[in-house]
Amino acid sequence: MNNPLDHLESLVAEAVANTEAAVSADELRLAEPLLIGKRSPFVNLQKTLGGLEPEERKSAGAKLQEARRRVEEVFAARLAVLEAAEKSARYEADRLVLGDVVPSRVQLPLSAGHPGVVALTQQSLEDVFVGMGFTVAEGPEIETDWYNFEALNIPPAHPARGMWDTFYLDLGEPETVLLRTHTSPTQIHLMEAAVTAGTLPIHAVMPGRCFRRDTPDARHLAAFHQIEGLVVDRGITFADLAGVIETFTKAYFGPDIASRLRPAYFPFTEPSAEFEITCTICRGAGCRTCSHTGWIELGGCGMVDPAVFSAVGINPDEYSGFAFGFGIDRCAQMRHQIADMRALTDNDIRFLRQFS
Ligand code: FA5
């Protein structure tokens, strides 16, 4: 008896040719049952396999499935092409052309908008630090694992990775490309560039957007902003760091707001500290925003760990340095006494207008 799959290849070729000949997505969808669906030759052939010996039936079944899958792939690709072409044709047809828009005779008051409170805060922070002799630099929001973690002395599987709940991107090897969880990777870019160009020392601040899988609440957002600081020079000590933090706090928040450093742990600084200021909402009395402690954590800081210097090729016997990083949204919140940080992203015009 003839093998029922003798003509399989020509059936595939015919189905592919018919699929590719379709000129509209609707035409292709209508033809689906005949090409790959219930009324297709593949389904008819499947029924004829019952007469074969069990072993033969198994291999013929697999061949048939494979052939049908090939046609299904062509079908899906053709449908995607036709749908995309129809969509752009629709957009093109909807485009407004000169003459479609008739000038209104009603005079509307036009508002040009203005920078939001976070952008304004970033500008004032930059101004304070530029006034103290820092330059301003920026780094990418998408980083590799090396810049966000490894060069900062956080190797794969290190428990400190748990300090940052990361959004990974589906690019390259799994968990190698991510949305930066802090602005600290910009320190690495800056030090690498200074080593290459031979332009050490560094006195820079680096503002920018960061991303974490944090549940938004009164003090957290999933997309927020930090400003990083880095000083690398000969003879830098912890006293320089404490002096910069204190000078900044007084310059930005005013003389009645105190700052304090508390011992903390960051893998890329040693020793490390947390930098807190008096809660400006309750003036230290305790409220919901500061979890009734009277203090708000602005950020972290410490002396650059020698392991970080080694990762970028700076000799830790010759240079020392300090780094700090704190939340710009948190600063805006404290400066303007905003009880809940989520107000920054609510787009409520009555809230936004206050900061023009
Ligand atoms: C860091 O991100 C370290 N890179 C800071 C650092 C830099 C330490 C240099 C040492 C040397 P931390 O995870 O604590 O540390 O975040 C620092 C600050 O960013 C926080 O204190 C807070 O002000 C702000 N921040 C962190 N997560 C959020 C969030 N989800 N929403 C808003 N602000 C946040």
Side-chain angles (χ1 to χ4, degrees), residues 113-118 120 338 342-356:
H114 59 82
V117 60
V118 176
L120 292 171
I338 300 164
R342 287 168 289 192
L344 298 176
T345 54
D346 279 350
N347 277 341
D348 183 334
I349 197 83
R350 291 162 302 179
F351 171 80
L352 298 172
R353 274 202 186 120
Q354 299 174 83
F355 306 103
S356 53

Side-chain angles (χ1 to χ4, degrees), residues 204-324:
V205 288
M206 298 146 261
R209 212 148 49 128
C210 306
F211 308 85
R212 293 187 197 176
R213 280 171 39 221
D214 281 345
T215 307
D217 63 20
R219 283 171 303 170
H220 296 89
L221 297 172
F224 59 100
H225 303 76
Q226 286 187 342
I227 184 159
E228 191 83 7
L230 175 69
V231 169
V232 179
D233 207 339
R234 294 185 174 88
I236 298 292
T237 68
F238 200 89
D240 297 308
L241 166 61
V244 164
I245 298 282
E246 183 59 17
T247 309
F248 156 75
T249 305
K250 297 280 180 244
Y252 185 72
F253 290 103
D256 58 328
I257 295 295
S259 70
R260 67 174 185 183
L261 295 179
R262 300 207 313 160
Y265 170 73
F266 293 100
F268 33 93
T269 46
E270 179 58 37
S272 304
E274 240 165 38
F275 152 35
E276 295 185 336
I277 62 160
T278 317
C279 176
T280 58
I281 293 172
C282 60
R283 300 270 146 186
C287 66
R288 187 173 68 95
T289 309
C290 62
S291 306
H292 305 282
T293 62
W295 293 93
I296 284 276
E297 175 202 312
L298 267 198
C301 58
M303 301 303 291
V304 178
D305 193 294
V308 175
F309 279 146
S310 303
V312 294
I314 293 179
N315 179 358
D317 293 328
E318 188 183 350
Y319 284 98
S320 56
F322 66 76
F324 57 82

Side-chain angles (χ1 to χ4, degrees), residues 6-333:
D6 276 351
H7 302 296
L8 186 58
E9 279 312 313
S10 57
L11 287 176
V12 169
E14 193 181 338
V16 166
N18 286 338
T19 301
E20 281 175 344
V23 292
S24 75
D26 271 350
E27 180 191 338
L28 195 54
R29 279 191 216 99
L30 273 177
E32 179 174 354
L34 289 168
L35 294 169
I36 48 174
K38 279 191 190 135
R39 285 155 55 208
S40 71
F42 304 107
V43 171
N44 289 337
L45 272 177
Q46 184 79 39
K47 290 177 193 152
T48 67
L49 300 187
L52 297 176
E53 293 301 314
E55 267 314 299
E56 251 185 316
R57 197 186 319 144
K58 209 167 142 198
S59 89
K63 246 173 134 176
L64 189 55
Q65 282 308 322
E66 206 277 325
R68 186 173 174 180
R69 193 191 49 72
R70 270 155 49 208
V71 180
E72 280 170 352
E73 269 176 19
V74 175
F75 182 92
R78 181 72 188 148
L79 189 59
V81 167
L82 291 170
E83 282 176 343
E86 284 167 16
K87 197 169 164 189
S88 57
R90 248 191 341 265
Y91 286 163
E92 192 54 36
D94 285 350
R95 187 140 63 122
L96 289 177
V97 290
L98 209 62
D100 282 353
V101 186
V102 181
S104 161
R105 264 177 275 156
V106 184
Q107 292 290 312
L108 295 174
L110 282 181
S111 157
H114 59 82
V117 60
V118 176
L120 292 171
T121 306
Q122 178 173 327
Q123 281 166 17
S124 344
L125 292 172
E126 287 175 14
D127 286 348
V128 171
F129 283 110
V130 167
M132 291 164 73
F134 287 77
T135 55
V136 180
E138 284 189 347
E141 292 177 354
I142 294 176
E143 285 288 8
T144 59
D145 187 88
W146 161 260
Y147 283 100
N148 198 80
F149 292 124
E150 279 198 55
L152 290 162
N153 200 26
I154 316 170
H158 190 287
R161 289 201 178 206
M163 292 164 77
W164 295 279
D165 243 337
T166 315
F167 287 113
Y168 286 97
L169 296 180
D170 205 1
L171 281 173
E173 291 289 303
E175 303 201 353
T176 54
V177 183
L178 45 91
L179 295 178
R180 68 175 171 192
T181 57
H182 48 178
T183 39
S184 299
T186 312
Q187 287 185 38
I188 303 295
H189 288 289
L190 227 60
M191 286 190 275
E192 281 181 341
V195 168
T196 310
T199 52
L200 284 172
I202 298 170
H203 304 86
V205 288
M206 298 146 261
R209 212 148 49 128
C210 306
F211 308 85
R212 293 187 197 176
R213 280 171 39 221
D214 281 345
T215 307
D217 63 20
R219 283 171 303 170
H220 296 89
L221 297 172
F224 59 100
H225 303 76
Q226 286 187 342
I227 184 159
E228 191 83 7
L230 175 69
V231 169
V232 179
D233 207 339
R234 294 185 174 88
I236 298 292
T237 68
F238 200 89
D240 297 308
L241 166 61
V244 164
I245 298 282
E246 183 59 17
T247 309
F248 156 75
T249 305
K250 297 280 180 244
Y252 185 72
F253 290 103
D256 58 328
I257 295 295
S259 70
R260 67 174 185 183
L261 295 179
R262 300 207 313 160
Y265 170 73
F266 293 100
F268 33 93
T269 46
E270 179 58 37
S272 304
E274 240 165 38
F275 152 35
E276 295 185 336
I277 62 160
T278 317
C279 176
T280 58
I281 293 172
C282 60
R283 300 270 146 186
C287 66
R288 187 173 68 95
T289 309
C290 62
S291 306
H292 305 282
T293 62
W295 293 93
I296 284 276
E297 175 202 312
L298 267 198
C301 58
M303 301 303 291
V304 178
D305 193 294
V308 175
F309 279 146
S310 303
V312 294
I314 293 179
N315 179 358
D317 293 328
E318 188 183 350
Y319 284 98
S320 56
F322 66 76
F324 57 82
F326 57 88
I328 298 179
D329 319 73
R330 198 68 67 79
C331 269
Q333 181 176 29

